[in-house]
Amino acid sequence: MALSDGTASRDQVQEAQRRAQARRTSLERAAVVEAARASEVRLWDDGAQATWHYVVLDDAEVRIECCVARCGCVHIPAEIEGKPVVALAAEACARLPGVEKIVCPDSLMSVGLCAFRDNRALRSVVLPAELASFDSDWFRGSPAVTHLVLPGRLARLDARIFDLPQLSVLVVGAETAEVEPGAFAKSALTAIEVDAANPFLTTDGIALYRREGGVLLALAVPVEEYAIHPGCTAVAEKGLSTCARVRRIEVPEGLKELGSFALARTGIRSFEAPASLKRIGEKAFFNCADLEEVRLREGLVSVGANAFTGTRLCELRLPASVEELGNPLAAKTGLTFAGPDATCTLAAGSRHLILDAAGGLYRVLDQGVCLVRMMDPEARSYEVRPDTVAVGDEAFANHACIADVVLPEGVEELGRAAFKACRHLVRVNIPSSMRRIGDEAFLDTNLTSMRIPAALEHLGHNALVTQGAHHGDGEPSLVDVRVDAGNVRFYTAPGLLLERKDEGHARVVLCMGGVDVVRIPAEVDEIAPYALNDVRGIRELYLSDRITKVGMRGLGIDGLAELIHVDLERPIEGHTSFDLRFPVTDRGAQQMMLALSVPDRVDVAALFEHYDNAIINASSFDPRHERGLDPYEQLVRLVARLQDPVFMTAVNRSMSEKVLREGVADFCVAAARHDDRRVVDALLDLGFLNADNLNAVIDRVGALKDAAMTAYLLEAKRVRFQCAALDFEL
C-alpha cells in the first residue's frame, strides 16, 4: 500500500526500536523525578538573567520551583550546584511580564502544569531535546507565542500544538515520527522546520513528508497554490484537508493514492488525476465547495464513499479500470446516474463493473452479476438485471425514494442490510431461487408482504423487522407472510412466522397481526427481537415458561391484553398454568408492558411481580382523571393473591397487607355495594376484618342502610368472636 512505511531494512527497524526505547526511558525518568524526595527550597542568582528558587531531588537532581526574571530572554540553567536541572514545577516560569523568550536546557525531563502560564509578552520557546511530551496547557494565558521548538523526543504531532493561536514558526524535533490526521487543520504557520537529525520526517518549509516512501503527511503552512513533490506516492489521511486557502494543487506523475479526506474542504476548483493514481479514499474531496471539474484516468482502481460529496461537479466520467465505487459517491451535487443524459457514467469495456441505464451498479462474477448498489438517489422502482445471482450488502440501504423492486429468478442471496432504512419500500418480490436473506435485510422498511420460497434456508437477524415493529411508532407493516410448500426451515401458525431449530425447538420470527388470540406453539423456546413489538389488537396471549430466550421487545405488544396464559413445564405449588388478567388501567398497561418487554425470557415471577404492582397501586398516573382501579376490583384481586400468594415477593405481600389493613372499612363498603359475602369471609379468614375493627365496619356498612350485609356482619361477629349482644341501633 502506498501509505505504508514500505519495506524497512534491519538497520531501520533497530534504529526505530532504539528511539522508541529512548522515549520510554525519558517518560519513565520523568515519572521518577515527580516521585523523588525534595529538599527545602533554595535560591540561586545566576548573576545576569534571573533568580531561581529550586529544590534538590534525592540529593542528585534539581527541580526549578520559581523564577524571578530580570531580562527579556531567559535561559533556564542546565545545572545548579553541579547537579542537573531535570524538572520545572507547576507554574515555575509563570507570570514573567517582561520575558519574550524562554530556552529550556536539554536536561529537562519533566515540565509541570502551566509552567509558562500568563506570560503575555512571551513570543519564543525552545523546549528540551530529551522531553517526550507536550501539553498546550503549559502556555495557558500566554497568547503571543509565535515561535516554538517542540520537544526532541515527542513521537507524534497533534492538534493541541495549535492551541497557541499566534503560532507562526514551528520546529519539529529529532524523534517525531508521526502526524495525527488533521493535526494542522487550524494552522496559521508561515514556516515549518524539521530537526536535521530526524530520520522519519522531512519538509520543504510548507508541507511535512515521510522521509521514506514519499508520503505527504500534512500541508503545514496554508498557501493558495502548492506543487506536491515529484517523488510523492501518496497523500495521507487529511493530508491537505481543511486548508480553505488552497485553490490549486499540482499533482505529480507517480502519485498512487489519495487517502481519506485527503483534500476535503479545500478551495480547489479542478483536479486532474495522473495516470499513476490507483485509489481515491473515502471523502477525499468532501465538501470542496468550489470543485467544478475532475478528470480521472484509466488505471484508477477504487473510489471511496462520499469522495465527491458536497462539490460543484456537473460531470464525472469514471474509467473502465475502476473495480470499487463507494456509495454515495457524490451526494449533494448535480450529478445524475440514470437515463441517456446521465452525467456520471462508467466507461464501456469494464471487466469488473457495470453501471446500467437505470443507475444500478453491478459487479461481474464468473456465474453472473451481483447488484452492488443503486446509484441513482431518485429511483422509485427498479427491475434487477435477469442475469443477477446476488444482491450485495447495503445495495439499497438508506435509499430515500425506492418503493418497489423486482428481483428475477436466479437471485440466490440478498445481502446484509440490502434494503435497510428504505422507508418508502413496500414491495420486493422474492424469487423461488432465493436461498439466503442477510441480517437486517428489510430493517426499517415498510414492506407489506413476503414470500418465503421452498429454497430459503437462512433468514438473518432482524431481517423482517419493519419500521413500526422496530421503533414502536406505528403498527408493523409486514402483515402477509406466506411460506411455500416444501420449505423445511420455516412454517406458519395463525398470525405467526416460525423457524425450526435443532432438537425439535422453534423460534418465533415475527407476528403478522390480524388475529386477536396469539398462541405460541409448544415447541417454541425463542422469540426473536421485535417479533411482537407494537402488534395491535391482541386480546389473549398464550405463552410457556419453556420460552427461555426473548429478544429485545420480542413480546412488546401494543395495548393491554385481556389475558396472558402461561403453561408451565413443571407444576408449581399445584399449578400447571397461570392466567393473568392485568387491570384495565394505565398502570395495568404499563406493568404488563414491563413484564413482557424487559425480561429476556418468559419469566413467570416477573409477570406476577408486575401484576401485583398494578393492583397495589390503584391510582392513575394522571391525578386529573379517574382511570385508577375500582376499590371493589382492587379488593377482589388483592384477596385472591393473598389466598394464593405464588411468586409474591415479600415487599409486595407487605404492601398488599398494608393496603387492606388501612382501607378495610372502605373495602367492606365496596363489598356491600356488590353484595359479595365471599370476599367479606376472605377478609375475616385473612385477619384483616377482626374483633378490633368489626364494630367500626358494621357502623360504616349500616350507614348504607344495607340490612342484609349488616346482618351478615353481625352474625359473623357472633359466630367468629362469640359476641351475642344485640345491636339496638340496628
PDB file of all heavy atoms in Angstrom, residues 190-219:
ATOM      1  N   THR A 190       3.662  30.253   9.105  1.00  0.00           N
ATOM      2  CA  THR A 190       4.329  30.821   7.936  1.00  0.00           C
ATOM      3  C   THR A 190       5.563  30.014   7.568  1.00  0.00           C
ATOM      4  O   THR A 190       6.097  30.175   6.468  1.00  0.00           O
ATOM      5  CB  THR A 190       4.729  32.281   8.203  1.00  0.00           C
ATOM      6  OG1 THR A 190       5.597  32.321   9.352  1.00  0.00           O
ATOM      7  CG2 THR A 190       3.498  33.139   8.463  1.00  0.00           C
ATOM      8  N   ALA A 191       5.997  29.154   8.499  1.00  0.00           N
ATOM      9  CA  ALA A 191       7.171  28.326   8.215  1.00  0.00           C
ATOM     10  C   ALA A 191       7.165  27.126   9.140  1.00  0.00           C
ATOM     11  O   ALA A 191       6.681  27.194  10.269  1.00  0.00           O
ATOM     12  CB  ALA A 191       8.466  29.125   8.396  1.00  0.00           C
ATOM     13  N   ILE A 192       7.717  26.025   8.641  1.00  0.00           N
ATOM     14  CA  ILE A 192       7.897  24.831   9.454  1.00  0.00           C
ATOM     15  C   ILE A 192       9.272  24.260   9.169  1.00  0.00           C
ATOM     16  O   ILE A 192       9.748  24.274   8.025  1.00  0.00           O
ATOM     17  CB  ILE A 192       6.793  23.782   9.196  1.00  0.00           C
ATOM     18  CG1 ILE A 192       6.920  22.631  10.204  1.00  0.00           C
ATOM     19  CG2 ILE A 192       6.806  23.291   7.754  1.00  0.00           C
ATOM     20  CD1 ILE A 192       5.704  21.716  10.237  1.00  0.00           C
ATOM     21  N   GLU A 193       9.927  23.772  10.237  1.00  0.00           N
ATOM     22  CA  GLU A 193      11.266  23.177  10.102  1.00  0.00           C
ATOM     23  C   GLU A 193      11.253  21.821  10.795  1.00  0.00           C
ATOM     24  O   GLU A 193      10.460  21.567  11.704  1.00  0.00           O
ATOM     25  CB  GLU A 193      12.319  24.071  10.760  1.00  0.00           C
ATOM     26  CG  GLU A 193      12.367  25.500  10.210  1.00  0.00           C
ATOM     27  CD  GLU A 193      13.294  26.388  11.034  1.00  0.00           C
ATOM     28  OE1 GLU A 193      14.206  25.837  11.711  1.00  0.00           O
ATOM     29  OE2 GLU A 193      13.086  27.614  11.029  1.00  0.00           O
ATOM     30  N   VAL A 194      12.140  20.950  10.360  1.00  0.00           N
ATOM     31  CA  VAL A 194      12.330  19.642  10.983  1.00  0.00           C
ATOM     32  C   VAL A 194      13.800  19.513  11.350  1.00  0.00           C
ATOM     33  O   VAL A 194      14.688  19.816  10.539  1.00  0.00           O
ATOM     34  CB  VAL A 194      11.922  18.492  10.032  1.00  0.00           C
ATOM     35  CG1 VAL A 194      12.227  17.144  10.661  1.00  0.00           C
ATOM     36  CG2 VAL A 194      10.440  18.600   9.688  1.00  0.00           C
ATOM     37  N   ASP A 195      14.064  19.083  12.586  1.00  0.00           N
ATOM     38  CA  ASP A 195      15.442  18.879  13.037  1.00  0.00           C
ATOM     39  C   ASP A 195      16.202  18.030  12.022  1.00  0.00           C
ATOM     40  O   ASP A 195      15.700  17.002  11.547  1.00  0.00           O
ATOM     41  CB  ASP A 195      15.411  18.188  14.403  1.00  0.00           C
ATOM     42  CG  ASP A 195      16.767  18.176  15.069  1.00  0.00           C
ATOM     43  OD1 ASP A 195      17.706  17.578  14.509  1.00  0.00           O
ATOM     44  OD2 ASP A 195      16.880  18.738  16.177  1.00  0.00           O
ATOM     45  N   ALA A 196      17.395  18.454  11.683  1.00  0.00           N
ATOM     46  CA  ALA A 196      18.184  17.754  10.656  1.00  0.00           C
ATOM     47  C   ALA A 196      18.475  16.319  11.040  1.00  0.00           C
ATOM     48  O   ALA A 196      18.719  15.474  10.157  1.00  0.00           O
ATOM     49  CB  ALA A 196      19.498  18.514  10.421  1.00  0.00           C
ATOM     50  N   ALA A 197      18.427  15.990  12.344  1.00  0.00           N
ATOM     51  CA  ALA A 197      18.721  14.624  12.783  1.00  0.00           C
ATOM     52  C   ALA A 197      17.498  13.717  12.709  1.00  0.00           C
ATOM     53  O   ALA A 197      17.602  12.520  12.995  1.00  0.00           O
ATOM     54  CB  ALA A 197      19.262  14.658  14.213  1.00  0.00           C
ATOM     55  N   ASN A 198      16.338  14.251  12.346  1.00  0.00           N
ATOM     56  CA  ASN A 198      15.120  13.436  12.305  1.00  0.00           C
ATOM     57  C   ASN A 198      15.172  12.474  11.119  1.00  0.00           C
ATOM     58  O   ASN A 198      15.236  12.918   9.966  1.00  0.00           O
ATOM     59  CB  ASN A 198      13.883  14.339  12.191  1.00  0.00           C
ATOM     60  CG  ASN A 198      12.594  13.565  12.372  1.00  0.00           C
ATOM     61  OD1 ASN A 198      12.340  12.584  11.692  1.00  0.00           O
ATOM     62  ND2 ASN A 198      11.752  14.035  13.278  1.00  0.00           N
ATOM     63  N   PRO A 199      15.136  11.157  11.356  1.00  0.00           N
ATOM     64  CA  PRO A 199      15.215  10.196  10.251  1.00  0.00           C
ATOM     65  C   PRO A 199      13.853   9.851   9.648  1.00  0.00           C
ATOM     66  O   PRO A 199      13.795   9.115   8.662  1.00  0.00           O
ATOM     67  CB  PRO A 199      15.809   8.960  10.923  1.00  0.00           C
ATOM     68  CG  PRO A 199      15.252   9.010  12.311  1.00  0.00           C
ATOM     69  CD  PRO A 199      15.127  10.466  12.666  1.00  0.00           C
ATOM     70  N   PHE A 200      12.769  10.395  10.233  1.00  0.00           N
ATOM     71  CA  PHE A 200      11.422   9.990   9.824  1.00  0.00           C
ATOM     72  C   PHE A 200      10.735  11.006   8.928  1.00  0.00           C
ATOM     73  O   PHE A 200      10.010  10.646   8.001  1.00  0.00           O
ATOM     74  CB  PHE A 200      10.544   9.753  11.061  1.00  0.00           C
ATOM     75  CG  PHE A 200      11.145   8.835  12.070  1.00  0.00           C
ATOM     76  CD1 PHE A 200      11.585   9.327  13.299  1.00  0.00           C
ATOM     77  CD2 PHE A 200      11.293   7.481  11.808  1.00  0.00           C
ATOM     78  CE1 PHE A 200      12.136   8.490  14.245  1.00  0.00           C
ATOM     79  CE2 PHE A 200      11.851   6.643  12.756  1.00  0.00           C
ATOM     80  CZ  PHE A 200      12.277   7.135  13.978  1.00  0.00           C
ATOM     81  N   LEU A 201      10.918  12.287   9.235  1.00  0.00           N
ATOM     82  CA  LEU A 201      10.171  13.342   8.564  1.00  0.00           C
ATOM     83  C   LEU A 201      11.110  14.293   7.841  1.00  0.00           C
ATOM     84  O   LEU A 201      12.264  14.478   8.231  1.00  0.00           O
ATOM     85  CB  LEU A 201       9.330  14.133   9.576  1.00  0.00           C
ATOM     86  CG  LEU A 201       8.352  13.346  10.452  1.00  0.00           C
ATOM     87  CD1 LEU A 201       7.634  14.290  11.405  1.00  0.00           C
ATOM     88  CD2 LEU A 201       7.348  12.578   9.605  1.00  0.00           C
ATOM     89  N   THR A 202      10.552  14.913   6.820  1.00  0.00           N
ATOM     90  CA  THR A 202      11.280  15.959   6.104  1.00  0.00           C
ATOM     91  C   THR A 202      10.271  17.016   5.680  1.00  0.00           C
ATOM     92  O   THR A 202       9.058  16.780   5.707  1.00  0.00           O
ATOM     93  CB  THR A 202      12.017  15.400   4.877  1.00  0.00           C
ATOM     94  OG1 THR A 202      12.801  16.439   4.282  1.00  0.00           O
ATOM     95  CG2 THR A 202      11.041  14.844   3.852  1.00  0.00           C
ATOM     96  N   THR A 203      10.756  18.198   5.321  1.00  0.00           N
ATOM     97  CA  THR A 203       9.855  19.282   4.932  1.00  0.00           C
ATOM     98  C   THR A 203      10.500  20.159   3.876  1.00  0.00           C
ATOM     99  O   THR A 203      11.740  20.254   3.783  1.00  0.00           O
ATOM    100  CB  THR A 203       9.465  20.145   6.147  1.00  0.00           C
ATOM    101  OG1 THR A 203       8.539  21.146   5.738  1.00  0.00           O
ATOM    102  CG2 THR A 203      10.675  20.802   6.783  1.00  0.00           C
ATOM    103  N   ASP A 204       9.647  20.788   3.100  1.00  0.00           N
ATOM    104  CA  ASP A 204      10.100  21.812   2.163  1.00  0.00           C
ATOM    105  C   ASP A 204       9.791  23.208   2.699  1.00  0.00           C
ATOM    106  O   ASP A 204       9.862  24.191   1.968  1.00  0.00           O
ATOM    107  CB  ASP A 204       9.437  21.609   0.798  1.00  0.00           C
ATOM    108  CG  ASP A 204       7.908  21.643   0.880  1.00  0.00           C
ATOM    109  OD1 ASP A 204       7.363  21.826   1.986  1.00  0.00           O
ATOM    110  OD2 ASP A 204       7.260  21.455  -0.170  1.00  0.00           O
ATOM    111  N   GLY A 205       9.462  23.275   3.972  1.00  0.00           N
ATOM    112  CA  GLY A 205       9.099  24.537   4.582  1.00  0.00           C
ATOM    113  C   GLY A 205       7.608  24.827   4.507  1.00  0.00           C
ATOM    114  O   GLY A 205       7.134  25.783   5.125  1.00  0.00           O
ATOM    115  N   ILE A 206       6.873  23.980   3.782  1.00  0.00           N
ATOM    116  CA  ILE A 206       5.424  24.174   3.646  1.00  0.00           C
ATOM    117  C   ILE A 206       4.658  22.936   4.094  1.00  0.00           C
ATOM    118  O   ILE A 206       3.680  23.028   4.831  1.00  0.00           O
ATOM    119  CB  ILE A 206       5.048  24.523   2.182  1.00  0.00           C
ATOM    120  CG1 ILE A 206       5.711  25.839   1.786  1.00  0.00           C
ATOM    121  CG2 ILE A 206       3.537  24.587   2.006  1.00  0.00           C
ATOM    122  CD1 ILE A 206       5.511  26.214   0.333  1.00  0.00           C
ATOM    123  N   ALA A 207       5.125  21.773   3.670  1.00  0.00           N
ATOM    124  CA  ALA A 207       4.436  20.517   3.998  1.00  0.00           C
ATOM    125  C   ALA A 207       5.393  19.558   4.688  1.00  0.00           C
ATOM    126  O   ALA A 207       6.620  19.672   4.547  1.00  0.00           O
ATOM    127  CB  ALA A 207       3.875  19.876   2.729  1.00  0.00           C
ATOM    128  N   LEU A 208       4.832  18.610   5.416  1.00  0.00           N
ATOM    129  CA  LEU A 208       5.605  17.545   6.042  1.00  0.00           C
ATOM    130  C   LEU A 208       5.439  16.272   5.220  1.00  0.00           C
ATOM    131  O   LEU A 208       4.321  15.897   4.846  1.00  0.00           O
ATOM    132  CB  LEU A 208       5.122  17.277   7.468  1.00  0.00           C
ATOM    133  CG  LEU A 208       5.514  18.290   8.540  1.00  0.00           C
ATOM    134  CD1 LEU A 208       4.840  17.943   9.854  1.00  0.00           C
ATOM    135  CD2 LEU A 208       7.028  18.343   8.721  1.00  0.00           C
ATOM    136  N   TYR A 209       6.566  15.606   4.980  1.00  0.00           N
ATOM    137  CA  TYR A 209       6.577  14.351   4.233  1.00  0.00           C
ATOM    138  C   TYR A 209       7.235  13.270   5.075  1.00  0.00           C
ATOM    139  O   TYR A 209       8.100  13.553   5.921  1.00  0.00           O
ATOM    140  CB  TYR A 209       7.388  14.492   2.937  1.00  0.00           C
ATOM    141  CG  TYR A 209       6.742  15.333   1.867  1.00  0.00           C
ATOM    142  CD1 TYR A 209       6.848  16.718   1.894  1.00  0.00           C
ATOM    143  CD2 TYR A 209       6.046  14.738   0.821  1.00  0.00           C
ATOM    144  CE1 TYR A 209       6.276  17.499   0.910  1.00  0.00           C
ATOM    145  CE2 TYR A 209       5.473  15.507  -0.177  1.00  0.00           C
ATOM    146  CZ  TYR A 209       5.592  16.893  -0.131  1.00  0.00           C
ATOM    147  OH  TYR A 209       5.018  17.658  -1.124  1.00  0.00           O
ATOM    148  N   ARG A 210       6.841  12.069   4.837  1.00  0.00           N
ATOM    149  CA  ARG A 210       7.576  10.942   5.399  1.00  0.00           C
ATOM    150  C   ARG A 210       8.855  10.785   4.587  1.00  0.00           C
ATOM    151  O   ARG A 210       8.827  10.738   3.356  1.00  0.00           O
ATOM    152  CB  ARG A 210       6.713   9.677   5.342  1.00  0.00           C
ATOM    153  CG  ARG A 210       7.306   8.509   6.106  1.00  0.00           C
ATOM    154  CD  ARG A 210       6.307   7.368   6.182  1.00  0.00           C
ATOM    155  NE  ARG A 210       5.173   7.724   7.031  1.00  0.00           N
ATOM    156  CZ  ARG A 210       3.961   7.209   6.897  1.00  0.00           C
ATOM    157  NH1 ARG A 210       3.717   6.353   5.937  1.00  0.00           N
ATOM    158  NH2 ARG A 210       2.990   7.582   7.709  1.00  0.00           N
ATOM    159  N   ARG A 211       9.985  10.679   5.292  1.00  0.00           N
ATOM    160  CA  ARG A 211      11.270  10.659   4.597  1.00  0.00           C
ATOM    161  C   ARG A 211      11.414   9.427   3.701  1.00  0.00           C
ATOM    162  O   ARG A 211      11.915   9.497   2.583  1.00  0.00           O
ATOM    163  CB  ARG A 211      12.416  10.706   5.614  1.00  0.00           C
ATOM    164  CG  ARG A 211      13.776  10.983   4.998  1.00  0.00           C
ATOM    165  CD  ARG A 211      14.835  11.091   6.066  1.00  0.00           C
ATOM    166  NE  ARG A 211      14.712  12.291   6.875  1.00  0.00           N
ATOM    167  CZ  ARG A 211      15.232  13.467   6.541  1.00  0.00           C
ATOM    168  NH1 ARG A 211      15.894  13.607   5.409  1.00  0.00           N
ATOM    169  NH2 ARG A 211      15.089  14.512   7.341  1.00  0.00           N
ATOM    170  N   GLU A 212      10.920   8.281   4.199  1.00  0.00           N
ATOM    171  CA  GLU A 212      10.944   7.057   3.404  1.00  0.00           C
ATOM    172  C   GLU A 212       9.560   6.828   2.805  1.00  0.00           C
ATOM    173  O   GLU A 212       8.562   6.848   3.519  1.00  0.00           O
ATOM    174  CB  GLU A 212      11.316   5.858   4.289  1.00  0.00           C
ATOM    175  CG  GLU A 212      12.710   5.932   4.901  1.00  0.00           C
ATOM    176  CD  GLU A 212      13.806   5.791   3.867  1.00  0.00           C
ATOM    177  OE1 GLU A 212      13.528   5.187   2.806  1.00  0.00           O
ATOM    178  OE2 GLU A 212      14.914   6.289   4.113  1.00  0.00           O
ATOM    179  N   GLY A 213       9.473   6.622   1.528  1.00  0.00           N
ATOM    180  CA  GLY A 213       8.200   6.309   0.892  1.00  0.00           C
ATOM    181  C   GLY A 213       7.500   7.487   0.264  1.00  0.00           C
ATOM    182  O   GLY A 213       6.541   7.324  -0.489  1.00  0.00           O
ATOM    183  N   GLY A 214       7.923   8.707   0.570  1.00  0.00           N
ATOM    184  CA  GLY A 214       7.380   9.872  -0.113  1.00  0.00           C
ATOM    185  C   GLY A 214       5.914  10.142   0.114  1.00  0.00           C
ATOM    186  O   GLY A 214       5.199  10.527  -0.807  1.00  0.00           O
ATOM    187  N   VAL A 215       5.454   9.969   1.348  1.00  0.00           N
ATOM    188  CA  VAL A 215       4.047  10.231   1.653  1.00  0.00           C
ATOM    189  C   VAL A 215       3.910  11.659   2.184  1.00  0.00           C
ATOM    190  O   VAL A 215       4.618  12.051   3.116  1.00  0.00           O
ATOM    191  CB  VAL A 215       3.506   9.227   2.697  1.00  0.00           C
ATOM    192  CG1 VAL A 215       2.065   9.555   3.063  1.00  0.00           C
ATOM    193  CG2 VAL A 215       3.607   7.812   2.169  1.00  0.00           C
ATOM    194  N   LEU A 216       2.989  12.433   1.593  1.00  0.00           N
ATOM    195  CA  LEU A 216       2.698  13.765   2.101  1.00  0.00           C
ATOM    196  C   LEU A 216       1.795  13.600   3.313  1.00  0.00           C
ATOM    197  O   LEU A 216       0.658  13.146   3.203  1.00  0.00           O
ATOM    198  CB  LEU A 216       2.012  14.613   1.026  1.00  0.00           C
ATOM    199  CG  LEU A 216       1.880  16.121   1.313  1.00  0.00           C
ATOM    200  CD1 LEU A 216       1.682  16.884   0.012  1.00  0.00           C
ATOM    201  CD2 LEU A 216       0.749  16.463   2.270  1.00  0.00           C
ATOM    202  N   LEU A 217       2.284  13.974   4.495  1.00  0.00           N
ATOM    203  CA  LEU A 217       1.536  13.786   5.735  1.00  0.00           C
ATOM    204  C   LEU A 217       0.649  14.959   6.073  1.00  0.00           C
ATOM    205  O   LEU A 217      -0.460  14.778   6.598  1.00  0.00           O
ATOM    206  CB  LEU A 217       2.514  13.539   6.889  1.00  0.00           C
ATOM    207  CG  LEU A 217       3.368  12.275   6.783  1.00  0.00           C
ATOM    208  CD1 LEU A 217       4.380  12.236   7.910  1.00  0.00           C
ATOM    209  CD2 LEU A 217       2.497  11.034   6.801  1.00  0.00           C
ATOM    210  N   ALA A 218       1.116  16.169   5.809  1.00  0.00           N
ATOM    211  CA  ALA A 218       0.313  17.335   6.163  1.00  0.00           C
ATOM    212  C   ALA A 218       0.823  18.570   5.447  1.00  0.00           C
ATOM    213  O   ALA A 218       2.036  18.793   5.348  1.00  0.00           O
ATOM    214  CB  ALA A 218       0.351  17.570   7.668  1.00  0.00           C
ATOM    215  N   LEU A 219      -0.118  19.372   4.952  1.00  0.00           N
ATOM    216  CA  LEU A 219       0.210  20.708   4.479  1.00  0.00           C
ATOM    217  C   LEU A 219       0.214  21.596   5.714  1.00  0.00           C
ATOM    218  O   LEU A 219      -0.839  21.929   6.259  1.00  0.00           O
ATOM    219  CB  LEU A 219      -0.819  21.186   3.457  1.00  0.00           C
ATOM    220  CG  LEU A 219      -0.516  22.522   2.794  1.00  0.00           C
ATOM    221  CD1 LEU A 219       0.730  22.414   1.921  1.00  0.00           C
ATOM    222  CD2 LEU A 219      -1.699  23.002   1.975  1.00  0.00           C
TER     223      LEU A 219
END
